[in-house]
Amino acid sequence: SSGGDSGSSSSSSTFQSRIGATYRRWTYSYMNRIFRKGALQKKDKSAEAQLTQQDLYRTPRDTEAAALGTKFWDLYEQTGGNFLKTLWYISAPTFLPAG
């Protein structure tokens, strides 16, 4: 009963917590420095604490809006107007290797 359910629930919760932590590290770990500085700039109003253009990463040309717009509509047509497939195909190459 409840003892088995509790253990199972605890194991499930631990597993979900680990998956969540892994997911966050895998996809956004490279952004931690920027997130920290962004959070601190509210507390510290000095010029050094503020995010600047130099803190941010350059967007690769193939992921700029103009290039992605063209690619999106080409893929949308190729998938027969399947919006979700189009989003997956356009984002997977960037999303999967992140972090």
Side-chain angles (χ1 to χ4, degrees), residues 76-91:
Y76 187 75
E77 194 173 301
Q78 290 173 25
T79 63
N82 186 316
F83 183 70
L84 292 177
K85 274 188 179 179
T86 302
L87 287 181
W88 173 250
Y89 290 148
I90 206 164
S91 64

Side-chain angles (χ1 to χ4, degrees), residues 4-25:
D5 291 343
S6 170
S8 175
S9 176
S10 176
S11 293
S12 176
S13 177
T14 300
F15 177 74
Q16 288 174 341
S17 177
R18 285 182 182 163
I19 291 295
T22 300
Y23 176 80
R24 285 187 298 277
R25 282 192 304 271

Side-chain angles (χ1 to χ4, degrees), residues 16 32 46 52 54 68 72 74 80 85:
Q16 288 174 341
N32 287 343
S46 70
T52 66
Q54 288 74 30
L68 286 178
F72 175 87
D74 289 345
K85 274 188 179 179

